[in-house]
mmCIF file of all heavy atoms in Angstrom:
data_model
loop_
_atom_site.group_PDB
_atom_site.id
_atom_site.type_symbol
_atom_site.label_atom_id
_atom_site.label_comp_id
_atom_site.label_asym_id
_atom_site.label_seq_id
_atom_site.Cartn_x
_atom_site.Cartn_y
_atom_site.Cartn_z
ATOM 1 N N ILE A 33 -0.214 16.316 3.700
ATOM 2 C CA ILE A 33 -1.671 16.185 3.744
ATOM 3 C C ILE A 33 -2.111 15.399 2.515
ATOM 4 O O ILE A 33 -1.799 15.785 1.386
ATOM 5 C CB ILE A 33 -2.339 17.573 3.804
ATOM 6 C CG1 ILE A 33 -1.953 18.265 5.110
ATOM 7 C CG2 ILE A 33 -3.846 17.455 3.652
ATOM 8 C CD1 ILE A 33 -2.399 19.697 5.210
ATOM 9 N N ARG A 34 -2.807 14.313 2.727
ATOM 10 C CA ARG A 34 -3.220 13.442 1.623
ATOM 11 C C ARG A 34 -4.377 14.015 0.821
ATOM 12 O O ARG A 34 -4.502 13.752 -0.359
ATOM 13 C CB ARG A 34 -3.608 12.069 2.156
ATOM 14 C CG ARG A 34 -2.432 11.316 2.700
ATOM 15 C CD ARG A 34 -2.814 9.920 3.151
ATOM 16 N NE ARG A 34 -1.837 9.500 4.132
ATOM 17 C CZ ARG A 34 -2.124 8.899 5.262
ATOM 18 N NH1 ARG A 34 -3.355 8.609 5.556
ATOM 19 N NH2 ARG A 34 -1.173 8.578 6.098
ATOM 20 N N ASN A 35 -5.257 14.760 1.478
ATOM 21 C CA ASN A 35 -6.422 15.312 0.798
ATOM 22 C C ASN A 35 -6.605 16.764 1.228
ATOM 23 O O ASN A 35 -7.361 17.054 2.164
ATOM 24 C CB ASN A 35 -7.661 14.474 1.128
ATOM 25 C CG ASN A 35 -8.838 14.822 0.266
ATOM 26 O OD1 ASN A 35 -8.974 15.957 -0.195
ATOM 27 N ND2 ASN A 35 -9.702 13.856 0.037
ATOM 28 N N PRO A 36 -5.933 17.698 0.562
ATOM 29 C CA PRO A 36 -5.983 19.112 0.967
ATOM 30 C C PRO A 36 -7.400 19.690 0.980
ATOM 31 O O PRO A 36 -7.716 20.530 1.816
ATOM 32 C CB PRO A 36 -5.112 19.822 -0.067
ATOM 33 C CG PRO A 36 -4.269 18.766 -0.677
ATOM 34 C CD PRO A 36 -5.030 17.484 -0.560
ATOM 35 N N GLU A 37 -8.245 19.239 0.071
ATOM 36 C CA GLU A 37 -9.618 19.760 0.037
ATOM 37 C C GLU A 37 -10.370 19.396 1.309
ATOM 38 O O GLU A 37 -11.076 20.217 1.879
ATOM 39 C CB GLU A 37 -10.371 19.241 -1.199
ATOM 40 C CG GLU A 37 -9.811 19.750 -2.515
ATOM 41 C CD GLU A 37 -8.557 19.004 -2.980
ATOM 42 O OE1 GLU A 37 -8.299 17.860 -2.520
ATOM 43 O OE2 GLU A 37 -7.808 19.590 -3.783
ATOM 44 N N ARG A 38 -10.203 18.177 1.772
ATOM 45 C CA ARG A 38 -10.845 17.753 3.022
ATOM 46 C C ARG A 38 -10.231 18.478 4.219
ATOM 47 O O ARG A 38 -10.930 18.888 5.135
ATOM 48 C CB ARG A 38 -10.715 16.252 3.226
ATOM 49 C CG ARG A 38 -11.583 15.450 2.328
ATOM 50 C CD ARG A 38 -12.998 15.466 2.838
ATOM 51 N NE ARG A 38 -13.811 14.629 1.977
ATOM 52 C CZ ARG A 38 -15.087 14.846 1.765
ATOM 53 N NH1 ARG A 38 -15.709 15.843 2.350
ATOM 54 N NH2 ARG A 38 -15.764 14.064 0.983
ATOM 55 N N ALA A 39 -8.920 18.636 4.207
ATOM 56 C CA ALA A 39 -8.249 19.316 5.320
ATOM 57 C C ALA A 39 -8.696 20.769 5.426
ATOM 58 O O ALA A 39 -8.686 21.349 6.506
ATOM 59 C CB ALA A 39 -6.736 19.232 5.153
ATOM 60 N N ALA A 40 -9.083 21.363 4.312
ATOM 61 C CA ALA A 40 -9.503 22.771 4.305
ATOM 62 C C ALA A 40 -10.935 22.957 4.807
ATOM 63 O O ALA A 40 -11.362 24.089 5.043
ATOM 64 C CB ALA A 40 -9.367 23.347 2.896
ATOM 65 N N GLN A 41 -11.679 21.867 4.974
ATOM 66 C CA GLN A 41 -13.054 21.988 5.454
ATOM 67 C C GLN A 41 -13.072 22.517 6.879
ATOM 68 O O GLN A 41 -12.332 22.034 7.740
ATOM 69 C CB GLN A 41 -13.770 20.643 5.427
ATOM 70 C CG GLN A 41 -14.203 20.208 4.060
ATOM 71 C CD GLN A 41 -14.988 18.913 4.134
ATOM 72 O OE1 GLN A 41 -14.449 17.873 4.538
ATOM 73 N NE2 GLN A 41 -16.241 18.967 3.737
ATOM 74 N N LEU A 42 -13.922 23.499 7.115
ATOM 75 C CA LEU A 42 -14.089 24.031 8.468
ATOM 76 C C LEU A 42 -14.912 23.060 9.297
ATOM 77 O O LEU A 42 -15.800 22.389 8.787
ATOM 78 C CB LEU A 42 -14.773 25.397 8.414
ATOM 79 C CG LEU A 42 -14.002 26.489 7.675
ATOM 80 C CD1 LEU A 42 -14.818 27.775 7.648
ATOM 81 C CD2 LEU A 42 -12.651 26.725 8.322
ATOM 82 N N ARG A 43 -14.620 23.009 10.572
ATOM 83 C CA ARG A 43 -15.352 22.143 11.492
ATOM 84 C C ARG A 43 -16.196 23.016 12.416
ATOM 85 O O ARG A 43 -15.682 23.955 13.007
ATOM 86 C CB ARG A 43 -14.376 21.298 12.310
ATOM 87 C CG ARG A 43 -13.701 20.223 11.495
ATOM 88 C CD ARG A 43 -12.225 20.136 11.833
ATOM 89 N NE ARG A 43 -11.527 19.186 10.998
ATOM 90 C CZ ARG A 43 -10.836 19.542 9.916
ATOM 91 N NH1 ARG A 43 -10.771 20.800 9.549
ATOM 92 N NH2 ARG A 43 -10.209 18.637 9.210
ATOM 93 N N ASP A 44 -17.464 22.668 12.537
ATOM 94 C CA ASP A 44 -18.382 23.435 13.383
ATOM 95 C C ASP A 44 -18.567 22.697 14.703
ATOM 96 O O ASP A 44 -19.221 21.667 14.772
ATOM 97 C CB ASP A 44 -19.725 23.610 12.675
ATOM 98 C CG ASP A 44 -20.736 24.382 13.509
ATOM 99 O OD1 ASP A 44 -20.395 24.822 14.630
ATOM 100 O OD2 ASP A 44 -21.873 24.537 13.052
ATOM 101 N N PHE A 45 -17.947 23.228 15.760
ATOM 102 C CA PHE A 45 -18.036 22.624 17.087
ATOM 103 C C PHE A 45 -19.067 23.326 17.974
ATOM 104 O O PHE A 45 -19.132 23.071 19.172
ATOM 105 C CB PHE A 45 -16.670 22.695 17.785
ATOM 106 C CG PHE A 45 -15.599 21.866 17.135
ATOM 107 C CD1 PHE A 45 -14.469 22.465 16.622
ATOM 108 C CD2 PHE A 45 -15.701 20.489 17.054
ATOM 109 C CE1 PHE A 45 -13.456 21.719 16.037
ATOM 110 C CE2 PHE A 45 -14.707 19.719 16.471
ATOM 111 C CZ PHE A 45 -13.577 20.336 15.958
ATOM 112 N N SER A 46 -19.863 24.224 17.409
ATOM 113 C CA SER A 46 -20.741 25.068 18.229
ATOM 114 C C SER A 46 -21.738 24.276 19.070
ATOM 115 O O SER A 46 -22.124 24.721 20.144
ATOM 116 C CB SER A 46 -21.472 26.087 17.354
ATOM 117 O OG SER A 46 -22.288 25.437 16.386
ATOM 118 N N ALA A 47 -22.154 23.110 18.621
ATOM 119 C CA ALA A 47 -23.098 22.303 19.405
ATOM 120 C C ALA A 47 -22.389 21.443 20.449
ATOM 121 O O ALA A 47 -23.047 20.764 21.233
ATOM 122 C CB ALA A 47 -23.935 21.419 18.476
ATOM 123 N N LEU A 48 -21.082 21.468 20.475
ATOM 124 C CA LEU A 48 -20.306 20.688 21.450
ATOM 125 C C LEU A 48 -19.794 21.608 22.552
ATOM 126 O O LEU A 48 -18.606 21.738 22.779
ATOM 127 C CB LEU A 48 -19.136 19.985 20.749
ATOM 128 C CG LEU A 48 -19.525 18.955 19.701
ATOM 129 C CD1 LEU A 48 -18.301 18.454 18.953
ATOM 130 C CD2 LEU A 48 -20.282 17.805 20.342
ATOM 131 N N ARG A 49 -20.733 22.222 23.237
ATOM 132 C CA ARG A 49 -20.399 23.154 24.313
ATOM 133 C C ARG A 49 -20.887 22.571 25.629
ATOM 134 O O ARG A 49 -22.021 22.123 25.743
ATOM 135 C CB ARG A 49 -21.055 24.500 24.052
ATOM 136 C CG ARG A 49 -20.687 25.530 25.066
ATOM 137 C CD ARG A 49 -21.322 26.888 24.756
ATOM 138 N NE ARG A 49 -20.786 27.849 25.678
ATOM 139 C CZ ARG A 49 -19.922 28.785 25.360
ATOM 140 N NH1 ARG A 49 -19.525 28.919 24.125
ATOM 141 N NH2 ARG A 49 -19.470 29.615 26.267
ATOM 142 N N TYR A 50 -19.996 22.591 26.619
ATOM 143 C CA TYR A 50 -20.307 22.062 27.949
ATOM 144 C C TYR A 50 -19.929 23.136 28.950
ATOM 145 O O TYR A 50 -18.788 23.204 29.393
ATOM 146 C CB TYR A 50 -19.533 20.752 28.193
ATOM 147 C CG TYR A 50 -19.904 19.697 27.181
ATOM 148 C CD1 TYR A 50 -19.214 19.600 25.973
ATOM 149 C CD2 TYR A 50 -20.971 18.849 27.416
ATOM 150 C CE1 TYR A 50 -19.582 18.653 25.029
ATOM 151 C CE2 TYR A 50 -21.334 17.898 26.475
ATOM 152 C CZ TYR A 50 -20.642 17.810 25.289
ATOM 153 O OH TYR A 50 -21.015 16.872 24.355
ATOM 154 N N GLY A 51 -20.877 24.008 29.248
ATOM 155 C CA GLY A 51 -20.573 25.176 30.072
ATOM 156 C C GLY A 51 -19.621 26.069 29.297
ATOM 157 O O GLY A 51 -19.930 26.496 28.187
ATOM 158 N N ASN A 52 -18.445 26.325 29.852
ATOM 159 C CA ASN A 52 -17.444 27.131 29.166
ATOM 160 C C ASN A 52 -16.473 26.296 28.338
ATOM 161 O O ASN A 52 -15.510 26.822 27.783
ATOM 162 C CB ASN A 52 -16.633 27.957 30.174
ATOM 163 C CG ASN A 52 -17.462 29.055 30.784
ATOM 164 O OD1 ASN A 52 -18.377 29.576 30.157
ATOM 165 N ND2 ASN A 52 -17.159 29.404 32.020
ATOM 166 N N ILE A 53 -16.693 24.996 28.287
ATOM 167 C CA ILE A 53 -15.760 24.097 27.603
ATOM 168 C C ILE A 53 -16.245 23.819 26.182
ATOM 169 O O ILE A 53 -17.387 23.421 25.971
ATOM 170 C CB ILE A 53 -15.607 22.776 28.374
ATOM 171 C CG1 ILE A 53 -15.032 23.061 29.768
ATOM 172 C CG2 ILE A 53 -14.728 21.798 27.609
ATOM 173 C CD1 ILE A 53 -15.054 21.863 30.687
ATOM 174 N N THR A 54 -15.354 24.035 25.227
ATOM 175 C CA THR A 54 -15.581 23.690 23.826
ATOM 176 C C THR A 54 -14.333 22.978 23.314
ATOM 177 O O THR A 54 -13.263 23.073 23.917
ATOM 178 C CB THR A 54 -15.845 24.950 22.977
ATOM 179 O OG1 THR A 54 -14.753 25.862 23.149
ATOM 180 C CG2 THR A 54 -17.158 25.636 23.369
ATOM 181 N N PRO A 55 -14.434 22.243 22.209
ATOM 182 C CA PRO A 55 -13.256 21.538 21.687
ATOM 183 C C PRO A 55 -12.115 22.491 21.327
ATOM 184 O O PRO A 55 -12.336 23.641 20.953
ATOM 185 C CB PRO A 55 -13.784 20.852 20.423
ATOM 186 C CG PRO A 55 -15.236 20.661 20.689
ATOM 187 C CD PRO A 55 -15.644 21.901 21.444
ATOM 188 N N THR A 56 -10.925 21.983 21.447
ATOM 189 C CA THR A 56 -9.734 22.693 20.993
ATOM 190 C C THR A 56 -9.034 21.794 19.981
ATOM 191 O O THR A 56 -9.388 20.632 19.827
ATOM 192 C CB THR A 56 -8.798 23.054 22.165
ATOM 193 O OG1 THR A 56 -7.796 23.966 21.700
ATOM 194 C CG2 THR A 56 -8.140 21.829 22.771
ATOM 195 N N ASP A 57 -8.050 22.332 19.310
ATOM 196 C CA ASP A 57 -7.321 21.514 18.349
ATOM 197 C C ASP A 57 -5.852 21.434 18.733
ATOM 198 O O ASP A 57 -5.346 22.253 19.486
ATOM 199 C CB ASP A 57 -7.469 22.068 16.939
ATOM 200 C CG ASP A 57 -6.704 23.359 16.736
ATOM 201 O OD1 ASP A 57 -6.805 24.241 17.607
ATOM 202 O OD2 ASP A 57 -6.001 23.505 15.729
ATOM 203 N N VAL A 58 -5.208 20.424 18.212
ATOM 204 C CA VAL A 58 -3.769 20.240 18.339
ATOM 205 C C VAL A 58 -3.252 20.206 16.906
ATOM 206 O O VAL A 58 -3.712 19.389 16.110
ATOM 207 C CB VAL A 58 -3.429 18.921 19.076
ATOM 208 C CG1 VAL A 58 -1.931 18.671 19.075
ATOM 209 C CG2 VAL A 58 -3.991 18.933 20.492
ATOM 210 N N ASP A 59 -2.326 21.079 16.564
ATOM 211 C CA ASP A 59 -1.837 21.116 15.188
ATOM 212 C C ASP A 59 -0.943 19.928 14.854
ATOM 213 O O ASP A 59 -0.871 19.513 13.699
ATOM 214 C CB ASP A 59 -1.083 22.423 14.915
ATOM 215 C CG ASP A 59 -2.014 23.625 14.875
ATOM 216 O OD1 ASP A 59 -3.209 23.451 14.559
ATOM 217 O OD2 ASP A 59 -1.544 24.741 15.147
ATOM 218 N N GLY A 60 -0.264 19.384 15.835
ATOM 219 C CA GLY A 60 0.588 18.238 15.583
ATOM 220 C C GLY A 60 0.935 17.521 16.867
ATOM 221 O O GLY A 60 0.901 18.110 17.950
ATOM 222 N N LEU A 61 1.241 16.251 16.746
ATOM 223 C CA LEU A 61 1.647 15.441 17.889
ATOM 224 C C LEU A 61 2.632 14.397 17.403
ATOM 225 O O LEU A 61 2.370 13.687 16.436
ATOM 226 C CB LEU A 61 0.437 14.756 18.533
ATOM 227 C CG LEU A 61 0.724 13.655 19.562
ATOM 228 C CD1 LEU A 61 1.504 14.192 20.746
ATOM 229 C CD2 LEU A 61 -0.569 13.016 20.024
ATOM 230 N N LEU A 62 3.772 14.346 18.053
ATOM 231 C CA LEU A 62 4.769 13.309 17.785
ATOM 232 C C LEU A 62 4.904 12.448 19.035
ATOM 233 O O LEU A 62 4.947 12.971 20.148
ATOM 234 C CB LEU A 62 6.133 13.939 17.463
ATOM 235 C CG LEU A 62 6.215 14.704 16.157
ATOM 236 C CD1 LEU A 62 7.437 15.604 16.158
ATOM 237 C CD2 LEU A 62 6.266 13.739 14.992
ATOM 238 N N GLU A 63 4.974 11.148 18.828
ATOM 239 C CA GLU A 63 5.168 10.201 19.925
ATOM 240 C C GLU A 63 6.339 9.322 19.549
ATOM 241 O O GLU A 63 6.345 8.709 18.482
ATOM 242 C CB GLU A 63 3.892 9.382 20.131
ATOM 243 C CG GLU A 63 4.002 8.320 21.202
ATOM 244 C CD GLU A 63 4.474 6.986 20.637
ATOM 245 O OE1 GLU A 63 4.081 6.621 19.518
ATOM 246 O OE2 GLU A 63 5.265 6.306 21.323
ATOM 247 N N PHE A 64 7.354 9.313 20.385
ATOM 248 C CA PHE A 64 8.562 8.547 20.119
ATOM 249 C C PHE A 64 8.723 7.451 21.166
ATOM 250 O O PHE A 64 8.960 7.736 22.344
ATOM 251 C CB PHE A 64 9.809 9.443 20.154
ATOM 252 C CG PHE A 64 9.803 10.558 19.145
ATOM 253 C CD1 PHE A 64 9.615 11.870 19.549
ATOM 254 C CD2 PHE A 64 10.006 10.295 17.793
ATOM 255 C CE1 PHE A 64 9.638 12.904 18.629
ATOM 256 C CE2 PHE A 64 10.026 11.330 16.860
ATOM 257 C CZ PHE A 64 9.834 12.637 17.274
ATOM 258 N N SER A 65 8.579 6.193 20.735
ATOM 259 C CA SER A 65 8.878 5.024 21.564
ATOM 260 C C SER A 65 8.136 4.992 22.892
ATOM 261 O O SER A 65 8.657 4.481 23.878
ATOM 262 C CB SER A 65 10.393 4.946 21.824
ATOM 263 O OG SER A 65 11.109 4.918 20.619
ATOM 264 N N ASP A 66 6.932 5.551 22.934
ATOM 265 C CA ASP A 66 6.140 5.604 24.166
ATOM 266 C C ASP A 66 6.938 6.218 25.309
ATOM 267 O O ASP A 66 6.737 5.905 26.479
ATOM 268 C CB ASP A 66 5.636 4.215 24.564
ATOM 269 C CG ASP A 66 4.540 4.282 25.626
ATOM 270 O OD1 ASP A 66 3.825 5.302 25.693
ATOM 271 O OD2 ASP A 66 4.412 3.317 26.407
#
Side-chain angles (χ1 to χ4, degrees):
I33 296 173
R34 292 183 204 136
N35 191 331
E37 294 79 20
R38 287 282 182 210
Q41 284 184 296
L42 298 178
R43 289 137 184 98
D44 179 2
F45 294 118
S46 61
L48 297 173
R49 184 178 187 107
Y50 299 89
N52 290 330
I53 298 170
T54 55
T56 191
D57 71 314
V58 174
D59 290 334
L61 168 61
L62 292 163
E63 177 269 323
F64 300 108
S65 304
D66 194 27

